[in-house]
Amino acid sequence: MNITLKDGIDWVGYIDWTVRDFHGYKTESGSTYNAYLIRDEKTALIDAVKAPFVEKYLDHVRALTDLESIDYIVCNHAEPDHSGGLPVAMKACSNAVLVCNAKCKGALEKHYDTADWKWQVVEDGETISLGKRTLSFINTPMVHWPESMFTYVPEDKLLFSMDAFGQHYASAFRFDDEEPLDVILQEAKAYYANIVMLYGRPIAQTMERAAELEIEMIAPSHGVIWRSHIKEVFAAYQKYVVCKPRPKVIVLYATMWKATEQMADAILEGAQECNVEAHLYNVDSTHMTRIATEVLDCAAIAVGSPTLNNSIMPAMAGVLCYLSGLRPTQKQGFAFGSYGWSKRGGPTEIGQAMEAMKIEMVREPIRAQYAPTPEILEECREAGRAMGQYAEQFPAE
Amino acid sequence: MKKYICDVCGWIYDPEVGDPDSGLAPGTKFEDIPDDWECPECGVGKEDFSVLEG
Ligand SMILES: Cc1cc2nc3c(=O)[nH]c(=O)nc-3n(C[C@H](O)[C@H](O)[C@H](O)COP(=O)(O)O)c2cc1C
Ligand SMILES: [Fe+2]
Ligand SMILES: [Fe+2]
Ligand SMILES: [Fe+2]
């Protein structure tokens, strides 16, 4: 396995082939926790790995250098998938100073017993010389947590971007040109949608700052390292930060006795008459990870649930809770569903939830009492058509 | 009118500018912002803002 990024800079992380749940994100392709070793006159580690894999990480470091030779361990992000190994690593690397910003120090102190750690707290724009190379620190709040930070090495034009541009993608390869581009871009999209969709504004600002740097390589803390397709992943992120709509509509539903499902099918059929991608997802059979990924770049979304105990189906409530936290923007939509006897709950409640998510509501909820009549199904088809016609205006790429 | 800073992400609410994207017209005092308003950068609520000193 090729682990060398640049002369003197190597990957020392851990490939997590078997992880399938990452705080609720269904990681069907596993993940990696990337960490990097820079050997110069001084020696620095960039980040650690998840706690259970710290010994593997230290083995990777030991294969290249003595642990006593480590002068600095930089922590770009306090989340435990990268910091979990720090308590063991700080003990094992007895001469290492922990380098991070003030917010990160506060967060690490609240996660671990740090009483014995030596610290160097850095400000935005500060640098540390390693000899031939410089570590330059850039605060990137909310990409992904408040303390998040990039580390940039100007001499190598190398950006350690932490979660940004990452992918939950275990692979035998470390570099973007060793893998099919469409596969890794899809993983980068899923990662963006599920982890940081709500932080589009701070990420856009971070990208503006990154655009001022000369970059030949982006080394994120998950997935493959970008060196041949930086332009492509930047262009993709530029679209993601504004949830840029494509000619694509989504019909999302839950159902008990298939009345709401019939309505969903009719909406889908209407949309299929247009020149758009029309998707249909039942929340019971499609994990919310996939749903969030698809919502990121849709233009319009119809959401349906029958009324259950004066409310909506709990699986749908879970998906809506998740989506509303991710704060997708630039979406139109409407609610639909079947009910038995009450006005509240079901489609009414779905409509309220969508409105609270600031989805632009194009019509009142479509409601069917028990099984939908042919007239109601035609109304569904018509609403699907209208949604498709709206989505058609957006460019496909 | 006092400016407020988001303790989480550092975004500054300037009442003279408001937050038009979220329907807060220029001139809206921080005290008059509805409770369901969210920081446009990071999504936290009003309770995570402090007066910007200086
Ligand atoms: C994806 C993700 C999003 C988070 N969002 C927030 C947030 O919006 N506000 C907050 O105060 N903490 C947030 N946190 C921090 C967690 O609440 C914190 O890490 C907590 O200690 C986790 O508790 P647990 O160990 O029981 O999972 C987030 C953490 C993750 C992983
Ligand atoms: Fe993270
Ligand atoms: Fe991470
Ligand atoms: Fe904020």
Side-chain angles (χ1 to χ4, degrees), chain A residues 103 142 146 199 201-202 205 327, chain B residues 8 21 38-43:
Chain A
K103 272 193 179 162
M142 307 325 293
Y199 301 127
R201 278 174 58 152
Q205 287 158 19
R327 302 201 295 177
Chain B
V8 174
D21 289 352
E38 295 167 345
C39 171
E41 293 280 315
C42 75

Side-chain angles (χ1 to χ4, degrees), chain A residues 62 129 174 185-186 195 221 278 314 375:
Chain A
R62 277 190 202 99
S129 173
R174 305 275 60 80
L185 281 176
Q186 179 60 33
I195 305 285
S221 50
E375 291 72 33

Side-chain angles (χ1 to χ4, degrees), chain A residues 335-346:
Chain A
F336 65 96
S338 175
Y339 68 100
W341 51 88
S342 53
K343 289 211 175 55
R344 70 169 54 170

Side-chain angles (χ1 to χ4, degrees), chain A residues 38-59:
Chain A
I38 308 179
R39 283 171 291 164
D40 201 310
E41 286 160 33
K42 299 244 178 189
T43 302
L45 275 168
I46 307 292
D47 289 315
V49 296
K50 234 186 203 174
F53 312 117
V54 63
E55 286 304 333
K56 308 265 187 201
Y57 157 76
L58 292 177
D59 284 345

Side-chain angles (χ1 to χ4, degrees), chain A residues 22 33 77 79 81-82 144 162-163 168 191 195 221-222:
Chain A
F22 196 99
Y33 317 109
H77 179 18
E79 194 173 354
D81 49 336
H82 314 292
H144 158 222
M162 179 229 359
D163 282 346
H168 279 319
Y191 187 92
I195 305 285
S221 50
H222 300 283

Side-chain angles (χ1 to χ4, degrees), chain B residues 22-44:
Chain B
S22 305
L24 298 184
T28 307
K29 277 192 282 189
F30 188 81
E31 298 73 39
D32 296 338
I33 297 177
D35 282 340
D36 63 355
W37 176 81
E38 295 167 345
C39 171
E41 293 280 315
C42 75
V44 302

